Amino acid sequence: MKIVIVGGVAGGATAAARIRRLDEQAEIIVFERSGYVSYANCGLPYYIGGVIEDPEDLTLQTPESFFSRFRVVMKVRHEVIAIHPDEKKVTVRNLENGSEFEESYDKLLLSPGAKPTQPRLPGVGLEKLFTLRTVEDTFRIKDYIQRNQPKSAVLAGGGFIGLELAENLRESGMDVTIVQRPRQLMTPFDADMAAFIHGEMRKRGVRLILGHTVEGFEEKDGGMDVLLKDEAPLHADMVVLSIGVTPDTGLARDAGLKLGIKGSILVNDRMETSAQDIYAVGDAVQVKHAVSGQDALISLAGPANKQGRIAADNICGGDSRYVGSLGSSVIKIFDLTAAVTGLNERNAKAAGIETDQVVLSPMSHAGYYPGGRLMTMKVLFEKGTYRLLGGQIIGYEGVDKRIDVLAAAIHGGLKATELKELDLAYAPPYSSAKDPVNMAGFMIDNIAKGNLKQFHPRDVAKLPRDGSVTLLDVRTPEEYENGHIDGFANIPVDALRERLGEIPDKKPVYVMCQSGLRSYIACRILSGYGFACRNLSGGFRFYSAVMHDRRLTETAAPCGMEH
Amino acid sequence: MKIVIVGGVAGGATAAARIRRLDEQAEIIVFERSGYVSYANCGLPYYIGGVIEDPEDLTLQTPESFFSRFRVVMKVRHEVIAIHPDEKKVTVRNLENGSEFEESYDKLLLSPGAKPTQPRLPGVGLEKLFTLRTVEDTFRIKDYIQRNQPKSAVLAGGGFIGLELAENLRESGMDVTIVQRPRQLMTPFDADMAAFIHGEMRKRGVRLILGHTVEGFEEKDGGMDVLLKDEAPLHADMVVLSIGVTPDTGLARDAGLKLGIKGSILVNDRMETSAQDIYAVGDAVQVKHAVSGQDALISLAGPANKQGRIAADNICGGDSRYVGSLGSSVIKIFDLTAAVTGLNERNAKAAGIETDQVVLSPMSHAGYYPGGRLMTMKVLFEKGTYRLLGGQIIGYEGVDKRIDVLAAAIHGGLKATELKELDLAYAPPYSSAKDPVNMAGFMIDNIAKGNLKQFHPRDVAKLPRDGSVTLLDVRTPEEYENGHIDGFANIPVDALRERLGEIPDKKPVYVMCQSGLRSYIACRILSGYGFACRNLSGGFRFYSAVMHDRRLTETAAPCGMEH
């Protein structure tokens, strides 16, 4: 059996090694357009920032090591330029000398990945306008920085690569600005949670110009101007385009393979394309979102590797199935960790799922053991059914742990109320006896049992201030003095029973505290005296972060660029 | 409704607060024998070691704070000395003045906890022989250390408390010896995994005297002698008994409540005892192990807190159920983290479950990102059905994460083969594209599909050395020179195809490498040429750790005490 693989990174490399392990006799040829195989895509920004020092660390394997261990022929700088499904052949161009040749296959695996989205804007293609996807891109940026010592950079686009690069350039001492049309970085997160990401970026001196449209690029004064709609241009010594990636599927399209959303390759759960004996995996394929069941594009290394293994099994006569993706991901943003799994509010709405949510601020580990820090955790579930939909967590230590527990819980089909039952490992340096995931479960259980009714930051402005409802802040007088929401009166929770007379009878009470815990207790007390209560989800801590972010985003005008 | 609660820590305190939140009108009285409520049981060793500096940090709540927030009357230094189920009364002794009184209840909740197991040995009760369970115990030990500056301690027993105390005393500069009859510390782990715990303890200068029986204690030369069977005594400035805990259920027994294993209180999944309107929770009750379905005693804070909440729900007319415990736990041992969930080999065997297992040594995060370290991971599953039974992990960063993912997977009913499908969050600082949990799943999937057959460290000595089988070490010559198993010949995996002629035809091949990955690849190559192969589970790294530990345990004679 002869297997040809297009693309030697992640999915392609995994499949090649797996096919060999399943079939010692197979002939396996991999064509990789770039000069490197099996490279550490996710490590590239850290090489630019010097966190990863040795460029050899970026390549997990070489064509030589792959051949000696797996007898896989890895041809780098070879681009497959056409597929001929009927003849079971591909046309290959040797990028070193321009020669072309045909290669036959019994099975073909496409792992072409995705390419940086290049907007059709004036100036795209200029020398000081970079993208970051391959090892070559990385060396180009690193080389430019070393030669020219740029003092400032504008990054157009704030997703994973944009943020990781921003951190690495900033840590190298550069002035860094992120500009983009969406008003929110990191769209896997809901806008409210993104406030914490924005906050960390600003705290570290990264300038955020959100909600502004880039219209082009121009060389100017030895650097680059980034042209904005209705605003003065941004100027910097270098610019990186990081507005996202697009499935690299021209080859599949030209061969007549069926395509899915955004030009992705359509595959079934065996990673088979519409063409006989052609498989596809990785960033280029359309997958099912495991929660919504909807078609999705998920450009992440974990799914690509899993799919490569599955395609290999099936190529070798097995029957392995891809169960879909949760889109679980995590990013380090300076000291912060931000992680997400499953659906966010936006995705759920798009999928027609009515959501409810809890927001909490638990400690990473027992408060009495040194070093614990707060995280902000949002858990989404379907209204009524309590199906667990997704989670978003931002904080420090232990964020990645809780998101993976949520991902496993979703995979296991747990209801959101069942999170309270998870028997997680506790010792003071690692967690609390009631783990943050359990706490979320307790809160959702309280909603299910009717013990907790909530209102949300978006509801606050709409609350009547005409005396028809009572607005109550149950924090301490000191906390209240340090900042509170207009219209909310202060009665500390521990004084509530004595001061019940101050709360007008028979009117609904909207209660808030710092994180939502004391106000929940206050709601339970008031319920005991016949009041209808609602609790501010996430508390003042969450509300004020969201509002503060909104103000800063609105006032961050691109002009001026003062630092 | 009047609720009396016996015991104001963990389960009792949680229940009291929850009952109040569900019923503002209930009368709630808690009797606590010690002088403290709601204290941080798991933090006590760290106060002794000075990691937690402020003694006030040890108490999460006081009777005053509990009253002002929850209107719960917490009576400390009050011991319930009798229950009268027929009259729905308890007899209480005020430990301050010795007076006794009766208190009626509508519902009674028992949360007496467990007490340090006190062996019936000569010398138990001596002044310099301590136990550690309560805040008072903690102050007594801390006070003794501050006054007497002891230079050495013997800890009799090496479970959670013993190890945490050993670390804290050692970090304070003391000579520390742990002595016990079992040949293994930390029985939640299998003996092979415990080797890594022993290794860390020894590396940090804690002397381990395992497999030796303590027969008594004597004051001697201003310190204590620990008398051993058939050996010279151990001498130290202080001794701590830490051989485990026993459910504190004399009260329940005397009241005629049905008891379970080891004198624990029998409860159903609503936390109801055999007596009407009496509930029990925490370390004192018998629970169902969620994997084996067998009766178990699990003295951990997480289950106690969950049970307290469930009992409160049911006391207030709800219907909440305890789903059983996985025994998930984690411990910091100097820099090491050791964590476990579900069944280990010993428990599974006792439950009549036939197990198989994988052992792997994955990196905590991507190898190319700085700071990653190896962990040792053992995942157990049922032979044939691939039911996921449990996991044990020892290492550094990320150990607690993977054990919690395994716990969630067990809770979700995932098969061990499904671990390969978990969509976990990856970025270089946090994980690898193939997370350790996925890797375990891949290996188990390989076993299920017949691609991987294993042999284990315990099989090595039994392998025939008569030429009837081939014993093959596929590491590099350098690794082989640095240490190998007698009888294993060296052919590096990358040279295997060229040197196939050196391997005798038609004889089974037992293959090993450092961690088990290269030898798996070698097995797949050899299979392709018709050889029947078996792979050494865990590789030389695991094998040599287990053997090294066995040698040290056997040669660590108590006499001499040289340092």
Side-chain angles (χ1 to χ4, degrees):
Chain A
M1 184 167 64
K2 180 173 173 185
I3 297 110
V4 169
I5 299 177
V6 180
V9 192
T14 293
R18 174 80 176 163
I19 291 169
R20 171 60 68 228
R21 290 196 300 268
L22 295 177
D23 185 350
E24 176 66 14
Q25 308 307 327
E27 183 181 356
I28 309 170
I29 306 175
V30 178
F31 295 110
E32 165 60 36
R33 187 169 37 193
S34 82
Y36 302 86
V37 296
S38 197
Y39 58 82
N41 222 314
C42 306
L44 304 181
Y46 297 99
Y47 175 68
I48 292 172
V51 176
I52 297 171
E53 293 177 8
D54 185 348
E56 293 207 352
D57 284 347
L58 295 176
T59 45
L60 312 176
Q61 298 276 357
T62 62
E64 294 70 31
S65 72
F66 232 95
F67 184 78
S68 71
R69 182 147 304 170
F70 295 111
R71 290 294 187 276
V72 167
V73 177
M74 288 252 182
K75 292 201 170 281
V76 297
R77 306 276 296 136
H78 278 68
E79 182 172 13
V80 173
I81 55 171
I83 306 170
H84 314 290
D86 295 338
E87 303 159 61
K88 300 185 94 169
K89 279 183 184 167
V90 294
T91 306
V92 187
R93 181 179 294 147
N94 178 334
L95 299 178
E96 290 296 328
N97 60 22
S99 68
E100 293 182 6
F101 60 94
E102 292 198 328
E103 191 77 52
S104 67
Y105 64 79
D106 295 308
K107 307 274 183 184
L108 176 67
L109 174 63
L110 304 178
S111 178
K115 56 192 174 190
T117 306
Q118 298 265 11
R120 294 192 185 186
L121 292 177
V124 165
L126 287 173
E127 193 208 338
K128 288 167 193 164
L129 182 64
F130 299 90
T131 56
L132 177 55
R133 181 75 186 172
T134 63
V135 176
E136 284 89 344
D137 293 340
T138 309
F139 290 158
R140 212 172 290 131
I141 294 174
K142 180 102 178 170
D143 185 61
Y144 180 83
I145 291 172
Q146 283 174 340
R147 280 171 196 265
N148 301 284
Q149 305 285 328
K151 292 195 171 37
S152 59
V154 168
L155 311 183
F160 285 96
I161 293 287
L163 262 59
E164 287 171 347
L165 192 56
E167 171 182 337
N168 276 285
L169 296 180
R170 185 75 195 128
E171 297 277 30
S172 327
M174 289 171 67
D175 279 347
V176 178
T177 301
I178 297 180
V179 60
Q180 62 172 24
R181 185 160 43 191
R183 300 175 70 82
Q184 176 201 324
L185 302 175
M186 292 293 295
T187 48
F189 293 83
D190 286 320
D192 49 9
M193 293 298 287
F196 293 89
I197 296 173
H198 298 174
E200 179 75 7
M201 297 297 280
R202 290 182 181 119
K203 193 176 100 187
R204 299 311 186 115
V206 175
R207 192 177 160 87
L208 303 183
I209 307 291
L210 308 177
H212 291 269
T213 306
V214 174
E215 296 203 316
F217 308 91
E218 277 177 8
E219 290 199 26
K220 186 146 182 208
D221 302 337
M224 292 280 290
D225 263 8
V226 179
L227 309 176
L228 300 183
K229 187 175 175 190
D230 304 330
E231 298 280 356
L234 299 168
H235 184 81
D237 296 336
M238 62 183 289
V239 176
V240 184
L241 263 180
S242 51
I243 56 174
V245 295
T246 307
D248 192 357
T249 57
L251 190 62
R253 186 192 59 223
D254 294 346
L257 269 58
K258 283 195 184 146
L259 301 184
I261 51 176
K262 292 184 188 169
S264 59
I265 304 174
L266 207 63
V267 290
N268 61 15
D269 63 356
R270 286 169 47 89
M271 310 316 294
E272 293 166 333
T273 69
S274 60
Q276 183 82 26
D277 294 322
I278 304 182
Y279 297 76
V281 298
D283 294 359
V285 307
Q286 173 179 301
V287 297
K288 287 263 176 267
H289 195 288
V291 179
S292 69
Q294 294 198 316
D295 297 330
L297 280 186
I298 292 176
S299 298
L300 293 168
N305 277 285
K306 290 184 181 75
Q307 292 162 11
R309 191 175 187 276
I310 289 166
D313 283 0
N314 294 328
I315 285 171
C316 296
D319 185 18
S320 288
R321 309 270 174 162
Y322 186 61
V323 297
S325 178
L326 295 174
S328 305
S329 56
V330 58
I331 182 172
K332 173 171 129 50
I333 303 170
F334 297 96
D335 284 349
L336 209 65
T337 298
V340 59
T341 189
L343 297 178
N344 62 21
E345 279 190 83
R346 206 170 32 244
N347 305 145
K349 198 175 172 184
I353 301 170
E354 203 183 350
T355 62
D356 197 356
Q357 69 198 54
V358 293
V359 173
L360 58 163
S361 310
M363 291 285 278
S364 54
H365 64 242
Y368 57 81
Y369 189 91
R373 297 185 76 173
L374 290 181
M375 62 182 78
T376 307
M377 184 170 178
K378 177 174 179 172
V379 177
L380 243 71
F381 53 94
E382 188 173 29
K383 232 176 196 164
T385 69
Y386 294 93
R387 181 160 72 107
L388 181 57
L389 298 175
Q392 298 164 53
I393 315 179
I394 299 180
Y396 303 88
E397 162 202 287
V399 164
D400 57 326
K401 172 162 77 172
R402 276 64 182 218
I403 217 69
D404 278 359
V405 170
L406 288 176
I410 294 174
H411 191 108
L414 264 69
K415 290 204 170 207
T417 46
E418 282 182 85
L419 295 176
K420 70 180 187 297
E421 296 166 2
L422 284 176
D423 188 4
L424 304 170
Y426 159 59
Y430 305 99
S431 182
S432 298
K434 296 161 186 164
D435 187 86
V437 176
N438 294 140
M439 288 299 304
F442 292 144
M443 292 166 69
I444 296 167
D445 181 62
N446 285 331
I447 293 174
K449 289 181 172 153
N451 296 325
L452 169 60
K453 293 186 195 309
Q454 302 187 110
F455 67 110
H456 299 280
R458 60 176 170 266
D459 304 320
V460 168
K462 294 177 245 159
L463 291 175
R465 261 75 172 179
D466 59 2
S468 61
V469 303
T470 302
L471 307 182
L472 190 61
D473 182 332
V474 297
R475 296 177 300 160
T476 64
E478 294 72 33
E479 290 174 290
Y480 185 80
E481 284 312 313
N482 282 337
H484 59 265
I485 305 178
D486 269 359
F488 279 73
N490 182 224
I491 303 179
V493 60
D494 290 344
L496 193 55
R497 291 182 183 90
E498 286 87 354
R499 295 175 59 182
L500 272 179
E502 298 175 32
I503 303 172
D505 256 1
K506 293 176 190 163
K507 287 180 184 165
V509 190
Y510 289 81
V511 191
M512 57 163 292
C513 69
Q514 188 65 15
S515 72
L517 181 57
R518 282 173 290 170
S519 52
Y520 165 61
I521 294 169
C523 281
R524 296 309 308 153
I525 295 172
L526 290 169
S527 296
Y529 295 100
F531 290 93
C533 293
R534 286 194 174 267
N535 185 24
L536 178 60
S537 172
F540 187 71
R541 180 174 175 276
F542 189 62
Y543 173 86
S544 57
V546 171
M547 294 302 142
H548 183 65
D549 174 57
R550 192 176 296 174
R551 269 193 309 278
L552 289 182
T553 298
E554 277 163 10
T555 56
C559 50
M561 285 294 286
E562 75 289 350
H563 278 281
Chain B
M1 186 167 63
K2 181 172 171 186
I3 296 110
V4 169
I5 298 177
V6 180
V9 191
T14 293
R18 173 80 177 164
I19 291 169
R20 171 61 67 229
R21 290 196 299 266
L22 296 177
D23 185 350
E24 177 65 13
Q25 308 307 328
E27 184 182 355
I28 309 170
I29 306 175
V30 178
F31 295 110
E32 165 60 36
R33 188 169 37 192
S34 82
Y36 302 87
V37 295
S38 197
Y39 58 82
N41 221 315
C42 306
L44 304 181
Y46 298 99
Y47 175 69
I48 292 172
V51 175
I52 297 170
E53 292 178 8
D54 186 348
E56 294 206 353
D57 285 348
L58 295 177
T59 46
L60 312 176
Q61 298 276 357
T62 62
E64 294 70 32
S65 73
F66 231 95
F67 184 79
S68 71
R69 183 147 303 171
F70 296 112
R71 290 293 188 274
V72 167
V73 177
M74 288 250 182
K75 292 199 170 285
V76 298
R77 304 276 296 137
H78 278 68
E79 182 171 13
V80 173
I81 55 171
I83 306 170
H84 315 289
D86 295 338
E87 304 159 60
K88 298 185 98 168
K89 278 182 185 167
V90 295
T91 306
V92 187
R93 181 179 294 148
N94 178 332
L95 299 178
E96 290 296 329
N97 59 22
S99 67
E100 293 181 8
F101 59 95
E102 293 199 328
E103 191 77 53
S104 67
Y105 63 80
D106 295 309
K107 307 273 183 184
L108 176 66
L109 174 63
L110 305 178
S111 178
K115 56 191 175 189
T117 307
Q118 298 265 10
R120 295 192 183 184
L121 292 176
V124 165
L126 287 173
E127 192 208 338
K128 290 166 191 163
L129 182 64
F130 300 90
T131 56
L132 177 55
R133 181 76 185 173
T134 64
V135 176
E136 284 89 343
D137 293 342
T138 309
F139 290 160
R140 211 172 291 131
I141 294 174
K142 181 103 178 172
D143 185 60
Y144 179 83
I145 291 173
Q146 283 175 339
R147 280 172 195 264
N148 300 286
Q149 305 283 328
K151 293 196 170 41
S152 59
V154 168
L155 311 183
F160 286 97
I161 293 286
L163 262 60
E164 287 171 348
L165 193 57
E167 171 181 337
N168 276 284
L169 296 180
R170 185 76 195 129
E171 297 277 28
S172 326
M174 289 171 67
D175 279 346
V176 178
T177 302
I178 296 179
V179 61
Q180 62 172 24
R181 187 161 40 193
R183 300 174 71 83
Q184 177 201 324
L185 302 176
M186 292 293 293
T187 48
F189 292 83
D190 285 320
D192 49 9
M193 293 298 286
F196 294 89
I197 297 174
H198 297 174
E200 180 74 6
M201 296 297 280
R202 291 183 179 118
K203 193 177 101 187
R204 298 310 186 116
V206 175
R207 192 177 159 87
L208 304 184
I209 307 290
L210 308 177
H212 290 268
T213 305
V214 173
E215 296 203 317
F217 308 92
E218 278 178 8
E219 291 200 25
K220 186 147 182 207
D221 302 338
M224 292 280 289
D225 263 8
V226 178
L227 309 175
L228 300 183
K229 188 177 173 186
D230 304 332
E231 297 280 355
L234 299 168
H235 185 82
D237 295 337
M238 63 182 290
V239 176
V240 184
L241 262 181
S242 52
I243 56 175
V245 295
T246 308
D248 192 356
T249 57
L251 189 62
R253 186 193 58 222
D254 293 347
L257 270 58
K258 282 195 186 147
L259 301 184
I261 51 176
K262 292 184 187 170
S264 59
I265 305 174
L266 208 62
V267 291
N268 62 16
D269 62 357
R270 286 170 46 89
M271 310 316 294
E272 293 166 333
T273 69
S274 60
Q276 184 83 28
D277 294 323
I278 303 182
Y279 298 75
V281 299
D283 293 1
V285 308
Q286 175 179 300
V287 297
K288 286 263 176 264
H289 195 288
V291 179
S292 70
Q294 294 197 317
D295 298 329
L297 279 186
I298 292 176
S299 300
L300 293 167
N305 277 285
K306 291 184 181 75
Q307 292 162 12
R309 191 174 188 276
I310 288 165
D313 284 0
N314 294 327
I315 285 170
C316 295
D319 184 19
S320 288
R321 309 269 173 162
Y322 186 63
V323 297
S325 178
L326 295 174
S328 305
S329 56
V330 58
I331 182 172
K332 171 170 131 51
I333 303 170
F334 297 95
D335 284 350
L336 208 66
T337 297
V340 60
T341 188
L343 298 178
N344 62 21
E345 278 190 85
R346 206 172 30 244
N347 305 144
K349 196 174 174 187
I353 301 171
E354 202 182 350
T355 62
D356 197 357
Q357 68 199 53
V358 292
V359 173
L360 57 164
S361 309
M363 290 286 277
S364 54
H365 64 242
Y368 57 81
Y369 190 89
R373 297 185 75 174
L374 291 181
M375 63 182 76
T376 308
M377 184 172 182
K378 177 174 179 172
V379 177
L380 243 69
F381 55 94
E382 188 174 29
K383 232 176 195 163
T385 69
Y386 295 93
R387 182 160 70 108
L388 181 57
L389 298 175
Q392 298 164 55
I393 315 180
I394 298 180
Y396 303 88
E397 163 201 287
V399 164
D400 57 327
K401 170 161 79 172
R402 276 63 183 218
I403 217 69
D404 278 358
V405 170
L406 288 176
I410 294 173
H411 192 107
L414 264 69
K415 291 205 169 202
T417 46
E418 282 183 84
L419 295 177
K420 69 182 188 294
E421 295 166 2
L422 284 177
D423 189 4
L424 304 171
Y426 159 59
Y430 305 98
S431 182
S432 297
K434 296 162 186 162
D435 187 86
V437 175
N438 295 140
M439 286 300 303
F442 291 144
M443 291 166 70
I444 296 167
D445 181 61
N446 285 331
I447 293 174
K449 289 180 172 151
N451 296 325
L452 169 61
K453 293 188 196 309
Q454 302 187 111
F455 67 111
H456 299 281
R458 60 175 169 266
D459 304 321
V460 169
K462 294 177 247 163
L463 291 175
R465 261 75 174 181
D466 59 2
S468 60
V469 302
T470 302
L471 307 182
L472 191 61
D473 183 331
V474 298
R475 295 176 300 160
T476 63
E478 294 71 32
E479 289 174 289
Y480 185 80
E481 284 310 314
N482 282 335
H484 60 264
I485 304 177
D486 269 358
F488 279 73
N490 181 225
I491 304 179
V493 60
D494 290 344
L496 192 55
R497 290 181 183 90
E498 286 87 355
R499 294 174 59 181
L500 272 179
E502 298 176 32
I503 302 172
D505 255 2
K506 294 178 188 162
K507 287 180 185 167
V509 190
Y510 289 80
V511 190
M512 56 163 292
C513 69
Q514 188 65 15
S515 73
L517 181 57
R518 282 173 291 171
S519 50
Y520 165 61
I521 294 169
C523 281
R524 296 309 308 154
I525 295 171
L526 290 169
S527 295
Y529 295 100
F531 290 93
C533 293
R534 287 194 174 266
N535 185 23
L536 178 60
S537 173
F540 187 70
R541 180 174 176 275
F542 189 63
Y543 173 85
S544 56
V546 171
M547 293 301 142
H548 183 65
D549 173 57
R550 191 176 295 174
R551 268 192 308 278
L552 289 181
T553 299
E554 276 164 9
T555 57
C559 50
M561 286 294 286
E562 74 287 353
H563 278 281

